[in-house]
Amino acid sequence: MNSAVPKVTHIVVDMLYDFIDGSLACTNGEEAVEKAIEYINKHPEQEVLYVCDSHPVNHCSFIENGGIWPPHCITGTKGGSIHKSFYEKIIEESSRPNGSNTFRKGCDPKAEQYSGFDSINEKGEHLKNRIIDTVVLSGIATEFCVNETVGELTQVGARIAVNVEALAYVTKEGHDKTLAKFSSSGIELIN
């Protein structure tokens, strides 16, 4: 193996049913899923890591608990599950969601956690410790969890690209503004 070839990690952020067709459905959700899978199948050499919102029912981000969001991505519900297409349409089995490559965030009922940087898999490993060289991100929502994950990756000096077609968003204005910020910060925007 040529050590000069950068290792690329593809981080799929919150491609979960509640953000696609559930309580916090975002624009372009289904299309983003399809584009992310298309990208994964074109790049079987890249490691794929999944970041998942995973909230207890009493999470502080929920409106009834003083937060700003309706209940979403509750642990063990369909809304908190990764879209089934990632299991069915990804060719390389190791790139499908599994216990090692799926990282959960937002598990503490008293803490909001948009970024996937500190998310943890079932083995207790942190996502941040699996990042080497270059990161490609796809996911939901551009203005929130994707943005915050990019921000923390930037702070540790990761080389970052964002797959624009594989993003879903709360508002088009917020999406465009966030992409402009990424671009001006030297983050590569790819299709």
Side-chain angles (χ1 to χ4, degrees), residues 154-172:
T154 302
Q155 290 175 12
V156 297
R159 183 169 173 256
I160 304 166
V162 175
N163 186 348
V164 176
E165 290 184 340
L167 297 175
Y169 44 87
V170 177
T171 69
K172 183 74 165 79

Side-chain angles (χ1 to χ4, degrees), residues 10-74:
H10 180 188
I11 300 176
V12 177
V13 179
D14 289 341
M15 293 261 190
L16 311 170
Y17 280 105
D18 270 342
F19 297 131
I20 296 164
D21 62 7
S23 62
L24 277 172
C26 292
T27 301
N28 204 50
E30 289 285 353
E31 296 84 351
V33 167
E34 293 302 317
K35 290 297 184 180
I37 292 167
E38 188 178 298
Y39 179 88
I40 291 165
N41 286 334
K42 284 182 182 173
H43 300 277
E45 76 286 356
Q46 296 181 7
E47 180 178 36
V48 182
L49 303 179
Y50 297 86
V51 172
C52 302
D53 240 13
S54 188
H55 298 313
V57 292
N58 62 338
H59 197 261
C60 66
S61 71
F62 298 167
I63 292 167
E64 61 265 28
N65 300 321
I68 62 170
W69 304 111
H72 63 280
C73 302
I74 294 170

Side-chain angles (χ1 to χ4, degrees), residues 9-11 13 135-139 146 149-150 153 160-163 167:
T9 305
H10 180 188
I11 300 176
V13 179
V135 178
V136 173
L137 282 101
S138 57
V146 173
T149 303
V150 166
L153 288 166
I160 304 166
V162 175
N163 186 348
L167 297 175

